[in-house]
Amino acid sequence: MCGIVGYVGGTNKAVEVLMGGLRRLEYRGYDSAGIAVIDEEGVLNSVKRAGKLAMLSDELKRHPVNAGRTGIGHTRWATHGGPTDENAHPHLADNGKLALIHNGIIENFGPLKAELLAEGYTFESETDTEVAAVLLGREYQRVGDLGEAFRSVVARLDGAFTLLALHQDQPGVVVGARRNSPLVIGLGDGENFLGSDVAAFIEYTRRAVAIGQDQIVTITPDSVTVTDFFGAPVEVEEFDVAWDASASDKGGWSSFMAKEVSEQPDAVANTLRGRIVDGVVVIPELAEFGDEALARIRRIVIIACGTAAYAGQVAKYAIEKWAKVPVDVELSHEFRYRDPVIENDTLVVSISQSGETMDTLMAVKYAREAGAVAISICNTQGATIPRESNAVIYTHAGPEVAVASTKAFVAQIAALYLFALHLARVRGTLGSAELLEHTAELQAIPEKIATTLLQGDAVRQLATWMTDSRAVLFLGRHVGFPIALEGALKLKELAYIHAEGFAAGELKHGPIALIEPGQPVFVVVPSPRGSAHLHPKVVSNIQEIRARGARVIVIAEQGDAAVLPFADTVIHIPLAAPLFEPLLAVVPLQLFAMELATAKGLDVDQPRNLAKSVTVE
Ligand code: M6R
């Protein structure tokens, strides 16, 4: 969702830094963009446009903004008011001398706007953001200092916000505030940056500081000051960004998604690296809990959204089988608002690629307030969810830019499996021979994913044949069920085709009514070796739908001859133990959705209506 970048420096490169930062934040999803810069003459210039960054670039060519050293930039994902020029940020106040950008939702903007209207202020947009801008302008006129004006404004706002502002009477200063929405500082040499995430400034610096909840930051070219909302100084901790700028480039691929799908072997290998020593899982991040505390856990609640929740559903099977702890997997937004039972021996595990998903953040906060210990699985350093958790196990998938999550998904499963094996060891539920066997399986996964990726051409051909499909169904059992759900989600979000995933055993309880001649159905088939009891059941399910005319595409283990007579198309995956099959079976489904969307001429990196980082509830 909204992307934010701020810059102060010693040279006149504000426009270049802001536009570059917005380009790198494009992946978050947006429908308008704008910048505000204090130019060399000390005058605030602002340009904004509905549409993609190209529209803003064109506008800047028509009406160039003079070079400047201080600026803010924004990509907007519409919430209050449609994606129009007027609603785009920045919003101006104090007679055009102050500019403000915002990510989040100001829930009490209605009464605040009424108050300002009553005082004679006027508004040009339908946004909640302009209310904050006008409020800030009014406070600036009263106190004459941006930082102080910010303190009185944030005290009046409810909801979630990252706000960034500058004032032409204070050139060389950008002030930001955050509550529940992300903001990171980039530390430069004679210049400093602010961004929704490190991608905003990674081209210039890899030294970063994450800003905590309810904090205000003021940057100048030579200083960074962080306080709480009352002005008390706050200690901050610098970290090195592990990603480099090229990691968030397409690197010659046709799309970020194509690149990220191909990076999956590395995403898993990097997540495992250093965490399996002589067959034993080592997770130093969990050391502070001590083995005894982990052994005492009686229940795990996994909270996540979308693809991350499906990773959680896969992990449930592994954690329950290996560590013998009951696991509930809940969508964060459902968990948070239904008075869930949380006891002191409940462990909450959140999963989030971005670490900023507002639904998951709120669920983590809720769980901690209710007394739970919370661990997060996250891919983004300095993100908010890890900061709000007791511990974090980072996945090392590298930056995921495409809206559709792919490499983060397999890395999440790998991290959760490490966690499950660690838990099984401390709880004594698996012996060392089994632990060795499972860690060896896990370490073999990167190579097996690489082999699975070789199916790319076959999947592309299948996708090309299926561009006219109006609905596609996905079936799976056991760990194949969440993979069916994930396959359907990928197809919906990328190719805009109605897609549903079902537990294959549930078919006869209703969904089979959907089957008519020619209906395409993907079936994730468990291994006949590893799942001897389940395999024949899935083959029976395939026969049931074939008998009703379905066109069956199976994802099956290499050498599975039993499914061949009943499949119209077979996509093979390498041999793996049953619990590890999801890491392979998902790959052809990702490829299929990507290829079908590409064949339909759709943008696979930024599908319509979607945002990469969902920072509103
Ligand atoms: O950043 P998160 O992992 O918390 O994001 C969760 C979901 O929004 C995300 O997985 C979404 O479902 C993806 N677009 C799926 O491809």
Side-chain angles (χ1 to χ4, degrees):
M1 289 184 167
C2 303
I4 277 184
V5 55
Y7 175 74
V8 279
T11 51
N12 286 322
K13 61 176 187 184
V15 176
E16 176 193 327
V17 172
L18 298 177
M19 291 303 285
L22 292 183
R23 225 160 264 127
R24 286 192 185 279
L25 294 175
E26 267 193 302
Y27 77 91
R28 296 170 72 88
Y30 69 104
D31 36 43
S32 54
I35 61 169
V37 171
I38 301 176
D39 70 18
E40 278 175 304
E41 274 88 52
V43 177
L44 191 152
N45 285 275
S46 176
V47 178
K48 53 187 192 171
R49 274 291 164 269
K52 292 292 177 190
L53 275 180
M55 307 287 288
L56 179 62
S57 296
D58 289 348
E59 187 62 19
L60 282 167
K61 280 180 205 141
R62 279 192 295 273
H63 301 106
V65 166
N66 290 334
R69 300 171 186 201
T70 310
I72 53 177
H74 189 265
T75 45
R76 172 175 187 254
W77 188 85
T79 56
H80 295 61
T84 61
D85 290 351
E86 293 74 27
N87 290 333
H89 303 201
H91 289 284
L92 303 183
D94 197 8
N95 299 316
K97 291 194 285 180
L98 178 150
L100 176 136
I101 55 179
H102 168 221
N103 174 21
I105 291 178
I106 296 166
E107 289 170 358
N108 61 334
F109 84 102
L112 290 173
K113 188 169 183 172
E115 173 186 320
L116 292 163
L117 284 168
E119 290 177 25
Y121 289 95
T122 55
F123 293 85
E124 290 176 6
S125 77
E126 303 153 88
T127 63
D128 51 340
T129 304
E130 195 181 5
V131 175
V134 173
L135 207 54
L136 190 66
R138 185 183 75 176
E139 289 309 298
Y140 186 90
Q141 282 187 343
R142 195 173 62 81
V143 298
D145 175 76
L146 206 49
E148 206 180 326
F150 250 84
R151 284 197 286 283
S152 55
V153 167
V154 293
R156 303 216 45 209
L157 304 181
D158 294 337
F161 50 83
T162 295
L163 300 169
L164 241 61
L166 45 75
H167 196 291
Q168 79 174 32
D169 293 347
Q170 278 192 282
V173 176
V174 173
V175 181
R178 68 153 295 214
R179 168 179 287 165
N180 292 332
S181 285
L183 186 60
V184 185
I185 309 167
L187 302 172
D189 192 6
E191 57 185 0
N192 287 305
F193 307 80
L194 291 167
S196 304
D197 62 55
V198 297
F201 49 73
I202 198 166
E203 214 175 311
Y204 300 96
T205 181
R206 287 166 66 175
R207 292 173 52 215
V209 171
I211 300 170
Q213 267 308 49
D214 288 4
Q215 291 179 1
I216 294 178
V217 55
T218 303
I219 59 168
T220 71
D222 306 307
S223 68
V224 169
T225 314
V226 183
T227 69
D228 63 18
F229 275 4
F230 304 101
V234 168
E235 286 279 312
V236 294
E237 211 175 300
E238 185 180 327
F239 64 92
D240 281 332
V241 180
W243 304 342
D244 61 31
S246 66
S248 55
D249 282 337
K250 276 191 210 161
W253 290 85
S254 57
S255 63
F256 279 109
M257 184 176 177
K259 177 179 176 239
E260 287 158 12
V261 166
S262 81
E263 287 172 344
Q264 294 187 101
D266 285 344
V268 173
N270 291 338
T271 299
L272 300 181
R273 183 158 297 120
R275 287 171 166 161
I276 299 176
V277 181
D278 297 331
V280 176
V281 171
V282 181
I283 310 182
E285 297 91 327
L286 299 185
E288 69 170 273
F289 294 124
D291 292 356
E292 272 176 33
L294 288 176
R296 274 199 304 273
I297 289 163
R298 288 285 161 271
R299 179 172 160 247
I300 292 175
V301 179
I302 294 181
I303 47 178
C305 299
T307 290
Y310 297 144
Q313 283 193 29
V314 170
K316 170 185 166 80
Y317 292 85
I319 298 171
E320 291 191 339
K321 184 166 174 67
W322 294 337
K324 307 287 179 226
V325 191
V327 178
D328 298 317
V329 184
E330 302 235 21
L331 294 169
S332 316
H333 35 89
E334 289 297 315
F335 170 80
R336 165 69 182 82
Y337 292 103
R338 65 164 181 76
D339 291 332
V341 177
I342 298 169
E343 288 147 321
N344 56 11
D345 50 9
T346 302
L347 176 71
V348 168
V349 178
S350 70
I351 311 170
S352 176
Q353 186 287 130
S354 61
E356 300 294 350
T357 299
M358 183 61 74
D359 292 315
T360 303
L361 173 61
M362 288 301 156
V364 169
K365 287 176 129 194
Y366 177 87
R368 289 204 59 192
E369 277 159 22
V373 169
I375 291 177
S376 72
I377 308 286
C378 183
N379 194 44
T380 310
Q381 275 177 292
T384 310
I385 294 172
R387 293 173 63 88
E388 294 292 325
S389 306
N390 299 87
V392 51
I393 304 174
Y394 279 111
T395 48
H396 298 302
E400 191 179 69
V401 174
V403 164
S405 188
T406 54
K407 64 176 180 173
F409 177 70
V410 290
Q412 283 159 353
I413 295 175
L416 288 159
Y417 277 21
L418 286 171
F419 172 66
L421 291 170
H422 179 65
L423 215 51
R425 185 178 60 75
V426 302
R427 297 168 69 84
T429 48
L430 285 183
S432 46
E434 291 161 304
L435 288 167
L436 266 177
E437 189 189 320
H438 298 324
T439 50
E441 272 282 353
L442 204 45
Q443 285 176 305
I445 287 298
E447 203 180 321
K448 292 182 185 181
I449 296 180
T451 306
T452 311
L453 285 165
L454 299 176
Q455 297 285 348
D457 286 344
V459 176
R460 185 173 313 117
Q461 196 168 49
L462 179 69
T464 314
W465 292 335
M466 290 178 62
T467 45
D468 291 334
S469 305
R470 297 194 50 225
V472 179
L473 305 181
F474 293 80
L475 303 180
R477 271 181 187 253
H478 193 257
V479 280
F481 173 36
I483 295 304
L485 296 172
E486 171 62 2
L489 175 60
K490 288 279 105 58
L491 195 61
K492 276 184 259 208
E493 66 179 336
L494 290 170
Y496 317 151
I497 290 176
H498 187 86
E500 292 296 334
F502 298 108
E506 187 66 10
L507 205 63
K508 56 192 175 297
H509 299 286
I512 200 165
L514 293 170
I515 305 293
E516 54 187 16
Q519 170 64 54
V521 184
F522 279 79
V523 186
V524 179
V525 181
S527 157
R529 303 163 304 112
S531 308
H533 52 303
L534 268 187
H535 181 268
K537 303 233 169 358
V538 175
V539 173
S540 299
N541 296 144
I542 293 174
Q543 285 171 288
E544 288 154 17
I545 54 173
R546 276 275 287 207
R548 289 158 179 88
R551 175 167 174 213
V552 180
I553 304 129
V554 304
I555 317 276
E557 180 182 275
Q558 194 78 43
D560 180 352
V563 289
L564 296 182
F566 313 113
D568 295 285
T569 307
V570 183
I571 298 165
H572 288 294
I573 56 173
L575 274 56
L579 282 171
F580 295 87
E581 285 170 3
L583 289 155
L584 310 178
V586 74
V587 175
L589 301 182
Q590 298 166 336
L591 287 168
F592 175 73
M594 179 179 79
E595 295 295 355
L596 202 149
T598 306
K600 286 177 76 172
L602 300 173
D603 181 344
V604 295
D605 286 339
Q606 291 176 42
R608 70 183 177 201
N609 304 338
L610 293 175
K612 178 70 179 163
S613 232
V614 184
T615 52
V616 293
E617 276 189 276

